[in-house]
Amino acid sequence: MSHDLESPYAEGVPDWDALYRARGDEVGATRPIFTGDVFTGVQLPGSTGKTKARSVVVLQHPCSMRTNGVDLAWQVLVAEVANRKELDEHGWVGGNFNLMPLPDVRPEVTSQSRHQAANFDNLYTVAPDALTSRVASLSPFGVNLLLQRWVHYSSRVVVPTHTFHEQTVAFYEEADLIEEWCDETSGDDLRAETQACLDWLRADRDGTTYQELLKNPQSHSMIRRTMRQAQKNGTRVEND
């Protein structure tokens, strides 16, 4: 079934940009930590026991890494990321099953670190306060490819990326909304603003919530428009 693995190639041409939502200076500090986020400078031991600064990618689902929607669990599952030359299409779909390639993850550099890959053989659980220097966030397609390769390596089952998308799209949109909310408020307390956005999303509205409606992509533009209007009007949960 390995031939069913997907890749960022289309008609033999790679589209590395399709893997990423943001890289380098594009990465927003207000965005909640999400599956596929890449961090640098994490002090971790290697196979010889030597501890050094390493790069990692978050593997956990956003729900499983948070107990209340805001605070991260005391440990988060990550995989080590290291330099790795970019792969051709066959290298994506027909091999390297223990890797999630991250080509052009550091487009601003010309050294070997421009192209990297996550290694599912090098797993760690890390404390949230170690995840401070985020250098990339994956796009929905990138997140789904990561999950596809991780699940395939763990089970030898190929799950289509569109199936992952059906399960992750609501959480990805929620992260987008929280980031926009926090950017707009520009408050000093990021946790408080994140909680305020979640309270707004979770507020009861005739037996449902905007958070529940996020499961339907057709509702996304309406919710985003309503949120922007609520912020413009200074509306919070208590008088929404």
Side-chain angles (χ1 to χ4, degrees):
M1 295 291 291
S2 62
H3 62 278
D4 292 328
L5 287 171
E6 299 170 49
S7 80
Y9 279 82
E11 298 182 350
V13 179
D15 182 5
W16 303 148
D17 290 344
L19 295 172
Y20 304 101
R21 182 185 187 278
R23 288 166 287 181
D25 293 340
E26 301 170 346
V27 178
T30 59
R31 186 173 181 79
I33 291 177
F34 201 86
T35 312
D37 285 353
V38 180
F39 292 85
T40 61
V42 183
Q43 293 291 328
L44 293 168
S47 58
T48 64
K50 180 181 179 181
T51 297
K52 68 175 185 178
R54 303 177 191 274
S55 296
V56 298
V57 65
V58 175
L59 291 181
Q60 270 183 265
H61 187 278
C63 282
S64 66
M65 72 173 95
R66 288 181 174 85
T67 58
N68 56 10
V70 179
D71 300 308
L72 289 168
W74 75 286
Q75 294 280 282
V76 176
L77 179 65
V78 300
E80 184 178 9
V81 172
N83 296 346
R84 176 86 183 197
K85 67 179 182 180
E86 65 269 44
L87 300 179
D88 60 18
E89 187 170 11
H90 177 73
W92 273 84
V93 302
N96 302 287
F97 303 129
N98 65 323
L99 301 179
M100 169 58 189
L102 297 168
D104 216 27
V105 68
R106 302 292 298 274
E108 76 281 4
V109 304
T110 57
S111 64
Q112 290 182 335
S113 61
R114 177 168 186 157
H115 306 296
Q116 303 181 27
N119 190 331
F120 301 140
D121 289 325
N122 298 341
L123 301 178
Y124 298 89
T125 56
V126 301
D129 58 9
L131 302 175
T132 57
S133 181
R134 181 164 41 183
V135 296
S137 295
L138 298 186
S139 66
F141 179 56
V143 170
N144 298 333
L145 272 180
L146 170 65
L147 292 173
Q148 182 186 69
R149 298 187 72 85
W150 168 231
V151 169
H152 172 259
Y153 187 60
S154 303
S155 66
R156 294 302 186 265
V157 174
V158 177
V159 180
T161 56
H162 68 78
T163 300
F164 284 114
H165 188 68
E166 292 169 1
Q167 301 302 317
T168 60
V169 62
F171 303 103
Y172 200 95
E173 182 68 12
E174 182 176 295
D176 279 354
L177 291 172
I178 291 172
E179 181 179 15
E180 182 174 330
W181 177 290
C182 293
D183 283 343
E184 181 65 25
T185 55
S186 301
D188 294 330
D189 191 337
L190 181 59
R191 187 195 181 284
E193 291 303 331
T194 299
Q195 185 66 64
C197 183
L198 282 173
D199 290 344
W200 184 84
L201 288 169
R202 292 170 174 173
D204 181 74
R205 291 173 171 83
D206 297 324
T208 190
T209 67
Y210 286 147
Q211 189 177 53
E212 185 68 21
L213 290 175
L214 285 175
K215 296 177 182 178
N216 181 357
Q218 297 175 101
S219 299
H220 290 181
S221 61
M222 177 275 293
I223 295 171
R224 187 177 293 270
R225 183 172 61 252
T226 305
M227 185 189 79
R228 289 171 177 170
Q229 189 62 46
Q231 286 197 300
K232 182 179 179 181
N233 296 339
T235 307
R236 294 287 178 142
V237 170
E238 60 268 22
N239 58 359
D240 188 44

